[in-house]
Amino acid sequence: MKLIVNGEPHAPAPDLATLVEQLGLAGTAVATALNGRFVPVAARAATPLAEGDRVEVLAPMQGG
Amino acid sequence: MNPLELYGRRFHSRLLLGTANFPSPERMTAAVHAAQAQILTVSLRRTAVGGEAFWDQVRGLGTQVLPNTAGCHGVREAVTTAQMARELFGTRWIKLEVIADDDTLCPDVVGLVEAARVLVAEGFEVFPYTTDDLGVAARLLDAGCRVLMPLAAPIGSARGLSHPCGLRALRAHFPDVPLIVDAGLGLPSHAAAVMELGYDAVLLNTAVAQAGDPEAMARAFAQAVSAGRTAYLADPIAPRDMAAPSTPVLGMAVLA
């Protein structure tokens, strides 16, 4: 089961909170979306991941 | 001078500054101070080294942040980005960009109105990046936007006021709506011209960030914004086609 995380293939994870932890980003300022839908921090643990899911993990960035 | 009021918050500075494309974080901080900016635009992107440090830096400046949806081309994409920004930056403010075309970066005004409606319903305070089109402006206000941000010229173009008549008409049509010119300014004189039209504020990024000396340019823009605002409040005279002597004609000697 492969995930697509920020456009790159990624090893499976049972849920979004675990994935963020695997990425070393637990507790950091990141926001997540699953298949184009926003998933709040509080809902990550209850958001299971399935094969082919597209996850976006976004961080603060400079902007105009 | 009366403060700028945006969604119930008051600011003495009428210069909003973007945070992108500065030569270094230190020079960005210097420019923010020189501009006396109280509102900074920010963005969110795929996790990269430096995101956390940047956010710490911005928080350290103690300004209001205005996250954007830069680069979004569709309603759903913009709405999702706004939702992520609200959680990440802890603000209901969103600078809503729905881009129609990558060459001009002009707004997709149909998508913009639709996205604004969705976001207002979700409790966002929307700053739509729009054109000077009066009909679109009316629809954005109808959707619940309480601020409008028309472009002066394409983003990053530094061309200044490409259609001053349109900006003037928008100001005249919506006298009580805060109007902020966003995008396309290159010189302090452009910012002064915008403020002389009665605009409430200007938003800059590239013109300051990419200047040889961003700090000095930020200071120059702040002075121009202040000068333009003062001039607007001072009620400028109307232009005329023919000369009007400023020195009295009455009492002129006959020497010829």
Side-chain angles (χ1 to χ4, degrees), chain B residues 29-42:
Chain B
T29 294
V32 170
H33 289 315
Q36 297 179 38
Q38 294 177 289
I39 302 170
L40 300 180
T41 56
V42 293

Side-chain angles (χ1 to χ4, degrees), chain A residues 6-7 25 27-33 35-42 44 54 56-64, chain B residues 18-21 28 41-48 51-52 54-55 68 76 80 83-84 87-89 95 97 203 205:
Chain A
N6 287 351
L25 296 169
T28 68
V30 291
T32 50
N35 298 325
R37 304 277 178 195
F38 168 57
V39 181
V41 176
R44 286 179 195 161
R54 291 178 299 108
E56 294 286 337
V57 185
L58 305 188
M61 191 59 59
Q62 293 85 351
Chain B
T19 56
N21 295 323
M28 186 197 99
T41 56
V42 293
S43 183
L44 60 171
R45 287 289 181 263
R46 287 174 169 175
T47 45
E52 195 89 7
F54 166 69
W55 183 216
N68 68 29
R76 183 174 152 186
T80 300
Q83 292 165 335
M84 296 171 89
E87 180 182 83
L88 203 50
F89 296 107
K95 179 187 157 187
E97 297 184 31
L203 197 169
N205 190 347

Side-chain angles (χ1 to χ4, degrees), chain B residues 1-164:
Chain B
M1 204 177 284
N2 58 335
L4 171 68
E5 189 168 330
L6 303 169
Y7 287 105
R9 297 189 194 190
R10 293 179 165 210
F11 304 91
H12 63 73
S13 167
R14 291 173 180 273
L15 176 52
L16 291 70
L17 202 58
T19 56
N21 295 323
F22 280 89
S24 71
E26 294 72 28
R27 298 194 80 175
M28 186 197 99
T29 294
V32 170
H33 289 315
Q36 297 179 38
Q38 294 177 289
I39 302 170
L40 300 180
T41 56
V42 293
S43 183
L44 60 171
R45 287 289 181 263
R46 287 174 169 175
T47 45
V49 177
E52 195 89 7
F54 166 69
W55 183 216
D56 285 344
Q57 183 197 0
V58 169
R59 271 187 295 198
L61 291 166
T63 56
Q64 166 77 40
V65 292
L66 176 57
N68 68 29
T69 63
C72 291
H73 284 73
V75 173
R76 183 174 152 186
E77 193 185 357
V79 167
T80 300
T81 302
Q83 292 165 335
M84 296 171 89
R86 177 161 61 176
E87 180 182 83
L88 203 50
F89 296 107
T91 177
R92 289 192 291 168
W93 282 20
I94 190 75
K95 179 187 157 187
L96 182 60
E97 297 184 31
V98 183
I99 300 300
D101 171 78
D102 277 333
D103 285 331
T104 63
L105 296 178
C106 270
D108 166 3
V109 293
V110 176
L112 181 68
V113 171
E114 198 179 327
R117 207 175 287 283
V118 171
L119 291 171
V120 168
E122 293 189 14
F124 282 88
E125 294 173 333
V126 178
F127 293 65
Y129 163 65
T130 185
T131 68
D132 58 21
D133 187 292
L134 297 181
V136 172
R139 285 178 186 273
L140 287 167
L141 295 171
D142 182 56
C145 297
R146 294 291 168 262
V147 177
L148 298 175
M149 300 216 297
L151 59 95
I155 292 172
S157 70
R159 298 181 66 85
L161 287 68
S162 58
H163 189 211

